[in-house]
Amino acid sequence: MASFGRVAALLLLLLSFCGASMANFWTDVDITWGGSRAAITNNGQQLQLSMDRTSGSGFQSKNEYLFGRFDMKIKLVPGNSAGTVTAYYLSSQGPTHDEIDMEFLGNETGQPYTLHTNVYTQGKGNREQQFRLWFDPTADFHTYTILWNPHLVMFYVDGTLIRMFRNHESSGVAYPSRQAMRMYSSLWDAEDWATQGGRVKTDWSKAPFVANFGGIAINGCIWKGSTSSCSASSSSWMNQAAASSDLQKMQWVQRNYMIYNYCKDVSRFPQAKFTISMASSRRVAALLLLLLSFCGASIANFWTDVDITWGGPRAAITNNGQQLRLSMDRTSGSGFQSKNEYLFGRFDMKIKLVPGNSAGTVTAYYLSSQGPTHDEIDMEFLGNETGQPYTLHTNVYTQGKGNREQQFRLWFDPTAAFHTYTILWNPRQIMFYVDGTLIRMFRNHQSSGVAYPSRQAMRMYSSLWDAENWATQGGRVKTDWSKVPFVATFGDVAINSCVWKGSTSSCGASSSGWMNQAAAASDLQKLAWVQRNYMIYSYCKDVNRFPQGLPRECSLA
């Protein structure tokens, strides 16, 4: 009828009051990287992302939202998409960000994509669920939906519920409810982990790789400053829950197409903290301990996991094995080591560093084998004068050679409370984390002639010792011995690793999630944030130190 245009205009106006956006990429998103590799076409109804050897590309929503429903039609990279990741997700910013992920991991021609989902709360993820799709996602457009309200997060594929993450804040489980998020999408290269754990690499002869976005609908609460554009009752999705038919579909998907679920990976979570509301909880806990033992996973206890090796009474295990204290005076420092050797693993240590004037002291936490051609992975905390920041010094030694230092300032006071420092070492890469935030990666480039620690079993060590000749401001500030004893406290240890005895490992290559773990898109964003704002030295940028050229891995990273 003649008034159709006026009706359509009125509909757009009504939708705008609730933050609902009719599908148009011109009005809803900004292309943020990749230059001409990203393009909006068809009067704003479509968007194309491409990737070549130089760069991928990406875009983000113009607005931030606190809750909403986000629908995206995507036709994924066809043919040999191995090594590519097409990401579609919501995220806030900063080290304690929230994030809701859908990532499509490419594969060889004829092999299925993997849909990788995750939920981050306060900077912590590790809630992965992965699925195969029951159709060819490259042949046509399909709709992928994230519905996020105060009660739950729901993931849909073509209207079929595949995953739910409920709000259990009342039970102490963090939920993304306080940080506004933007919607992001990108196409990028992750050949080191995306396809079959990194075994299949990107075939650059197939470039450019292209993903098409055929429609976008954002029905969310726009967040500006501290104000939302819609009330709790303004949209049906705000209080939407899963109907019985949705739950039946989800069960069908998870029974037939789910290939990984963190909630079933007991070897990955040796310190699993969950409520078992049944009389048999003790039997279940005993079974969990038994299962963990098969993969070298160690429930946090210093009595069972480590030996004090030097310093005499300056080192002490307390609180029924839950804490360990190292101290140092003018006579000696102190230290401990793991009872076992490991060939690959994840090592988490909670540490509260020496407070006050810690100049000249070094609190070391590292893995190492023995001998002149040893391998070693270091985290060393270099003390400073009162009020001045610690320096976190990292290094990787292979076959007795180091010189791969990266140094950081920390974005918090590491002496005021315990913080978790993690070394994840698997056959593909080494990752250094601080409170779940990735700060450094060292990838396995043995195929390019770069040595990698993959053949020597290592113990975990920690120590507190005097290094006043170099540790603080290059040795200009010395240890103030009037402040002794210097004390560092260790609040927890979790070793989820492959115990090595003789020539035998306690777990196979597929026994733990960390064995094939790689950095997600959100991890890489955090890594870039840390290195941009808190890295104070990187050997890969020190051209004066390497006049004959930077180490080979610097150009491969």
Side-chain angles (χ1 to χ4, degrees):
M1 48 188 162
S3 62
F4 175 80
R6 291 193 297 275
V7 173
L10 178 60
L11 178 59
L12 281 169
L13 179 63
L14 289 171
L15 286 168
S16 70
F17 286 118
C18 288
S21 172
M22 296 300 287
N24 192 294
F25 289 101
W26 286 120
T27 58
D28 287 334
V29 309
D30 291 316
I31 293 172
T32 49
W33 63 287
S36 59
R37 297 172 187 85
I40 297 173
T41 62
N42 194 21
N43 295 318
Q45 299 304 302
Q46 291 191 339
L47 189 152
Q48 184 185 81
L49 294 181
S50 67
M51 181 184 81
D52 54 35
R53 191 147 202 165
T54 303
S55 177
S57 50
F59 62 90
Q60 67 180 39
S61 63
K62 291 180 182 289
N63 294 308
E64 292 183 301
Y65 302 89
L66 190 61
F67 307 123
R69 178 183 173 121
F70 305 82
D71 297 88
M72 187 77 79
K73 290 185 177 179
I74 311 175
K75 184 161 61 172
L76 296 176
V77 176
N80 188 346
S81 59
T84 72
V85 173
T86 305
Y88 162 49
Y89 61 104
L90 312 178
S91 183
S92 57
Q93 298 298 309
T96 58
H97 77 296
D98 293 338
E99 184 172 333
I100 303 169
D101 289 344
M102 297 181 89
E103 294 179 314
F104 302 88
L105 313 185
N107 215 329
E108 299 172 282
T109 302
Q111 297 300 311
Y113 267 76
T114 295
L115 170 52
H116 176 98
T117 68
N118 206 348
V119 177
Y120 282 74
T121 55
Q122 300 173 16
K124 297 179 181 179
N126 297 325
R127 299 185 178 99
E128 302 91 348
Q129 288 186 1
Q130 292 184 334
F131 306 83
R132 300 297 193 201
L133 295 171
W134 50 97
F135 52 82
D136 179 0
T138 74
D140 203 352
F141 289 101
H142 293 269
T143 302
Y144 304 94
T145 301
I146 297 172
L147 192 153
W148 165 45
N149 67 29
H151 313 293
L152 71 174
V153 178
M154 295 192 282
F155 299 75
Y156 292 86
V157 174
D158 286 337
T160 295
L161 182 65
I162 65 167
R163 178 180 182 178
M164 287 186 4
F165 183 79
R166 299 180 189 274
N167 185 341
H168 288 301
E169 287 181 297
S170 61
S171 300
V173 178
Y175 183 82
S177 61
R178 296 173 179 84
Q179 299 185 53
M181 297 196 267
R182 291 187 191 273
M183 184 203 71
Y184 298 83
S185 195
S186 58
L187 174 59
W188 56 289
D189 176 43
E191 69 171 3
D192 59 328
W193 66 271
T195 305
Q196 299 177 36
R199 290 184 289 276
V200 181
K201 304 299 183 182
T202 306
D203 182 355
W204 292 108
S205 71
K206 307 298 184 183
F209 301 96
V210 177
N212 287 286
F213 297 76
I216 178 176
I218 302 178
N219 186 7
C221 296
I222 296 172
W223 188 259
K224 291 189 177 179
S226 59
T227 304
S228 173
S229 65
C230 50
S231 65
S233 60
S234 64
S235 298
S236 59
W237 54 260
M238 183 65 86
N239 293 295
Q240 184 174 333
S244 58
S245 58
D246 286 321
L247 296 176
Q248 287 177 340
K249 290 183 199 175
M250 183 173 74
Q251 289 174 352
W252 172 79
V253 170
Q254 296 193 351
R255 183 171 60 249
N256 293 285
Y257 297 100
M258 178 183 279
I259 58 174
Y260 177 80
N261 183 359
Y262 76 106
C263 281
K264 296 182 179 180
D265 194 347
V266 293
S267 64
R268 182 181 173 190
F269 298 100
Q271 292 177 280
K273 296 178 180 178
F274 51 86
T275 302
I276 305 173
S277 54
M278 58 179 84
S280 61
S281 61
R282 290 183 180 178
R283 291 194 298 274
V284 174
L287 177 60
L288 176 62
L289 283 170
L290 178 62
L291 289 170
L292 288 170
S293 69
F294 288 120
C295 286
S298 172
I299 297 297
N301 191 292
F302 287 102
W303 286 120
T304 58
D305 286 338
V306 310
D307 291 319
I308 293 171
T309 49
W310 63 287
R314 297 173 187 83
I317 297 173
T318 62
N319 194 23
N320 295 318
Q322 299 304 302
Q323 290 191 343
L324 188 151
R325 189 181 72 176
L326 294 181
S327 66
M328 181 183 82
D329 54 34
R330 190 144 201 167
T331 303
S332 177
S334 51
F336 62 89
Q337 68 180 39
S338 62
K339 292 180 182 289
N340 292 310
E341 291 182 300
Y342 306 90
L343 190 62
F344 306 123
R346 178 182 174 124
F347 305 82
D348 296 90
M349 186 78 78
K350 290 185 178 179
I351 310 176
K352 184 162 60 173
L353 296 175
V354 176
N357 189 347
S358 58
T361 71
V362 173
T363 305
Y365 162 50
Y366 61 105
L367 311 178
S368 184
S369 58
Q370 299 297 309
T373 58
H374 75 296
D375 293 339
E376 186 172 332
I377 304 168
D378 288 344
M379 297 181 87
E380 294 180 312
F381 302 88
L382 315 184
N384 214 330
E385 299 173 285
T386 302
Q388 297 299 311
Y390 267 79
T391 295
L392 171 50
H393 175 96
T394 67
N395 205 350
V396 176
Y397 285 75
T398 55
Q399 299 172 18
K401 297 178 181 179
N403 297 327
R404 300 185 177 99
E405 302 91 342
Q406 287 187 358
Q407 293 184 333
F408 306 84
R409 300 298 192 200
L410 296 172
W411 50 95
F412 52 84
D413 179 0
T415 72
F418 288 102
H419 293 269
T420 303
Y421 304 94
T422 301
I423 297 171
L424 192 153
W425 165 44
N426 66 30
R428 295 169 180 81
Q429 64 217 339
I430 298 162
M431 295 191 283
F432 298 76
Y433 292 87
V434 175
D435 286 336
T437 294
L438 182 64
I439 66 166
R440 179 180 182 179
M441 288 175 54
F442 183 81
R443 291 189 171 98
N444 185 340
H445 288 300
Q446 286 179 302
S447 61
S448 299
V450 178
Y452 184 82
S454 60
R455 295 178 176 85
Q456 299 186 55
M458 297 196 266
R459 291 186 192 272
M460 182 198 71
Y461 297 83
S462 196
S463 57
L464 175 58
W465 55 288
D466 175 41
E468 69 173 3
N469 60 327
W470 67 272
T472 304
Q473 300 178 35
R476 291 185 293 275
V477 181
K478 304 300 184 182
T479 306
D480 182 354
W481 294 107
S482 71
K483 306 297 183 183
V484 298
F486 301 100
V487 177
T489 307
F490 297 76
D492 238 344
V493 57
I495 303 176
N496 185 8
S497 307
C498 297
V499 177
W500 188 260
K501 292 188 177 179
S503 59
T504 305
S505 172
S506 65
C507 48
S510 61
S511 63
S512 296
W514 54 260
M515 183 66 86
N516 294 299
Q517 186 173 333
S522 57
D523 288 320
L524 296 175
Q525 288 178 337
K526 286 190 262 187
L527 174 71
W529 173 80
V530 170
Q531 296 196 347
R532 183 171 59 249
N533 294 284
Y534 298 100
M535 178 184 281
I536 59 174
Y537 177 80
S538 173
Y539 75 106
C540 279
K541 296 181 180 180
D542 195 344
V543 293
N544 293 326
R545 182 181 177 189
F546 300 100
Q548 294 179 303
L550 294 170
R552 181 164 176 74
E553 66 267 21
C554 296
S555 62
L556 298 172

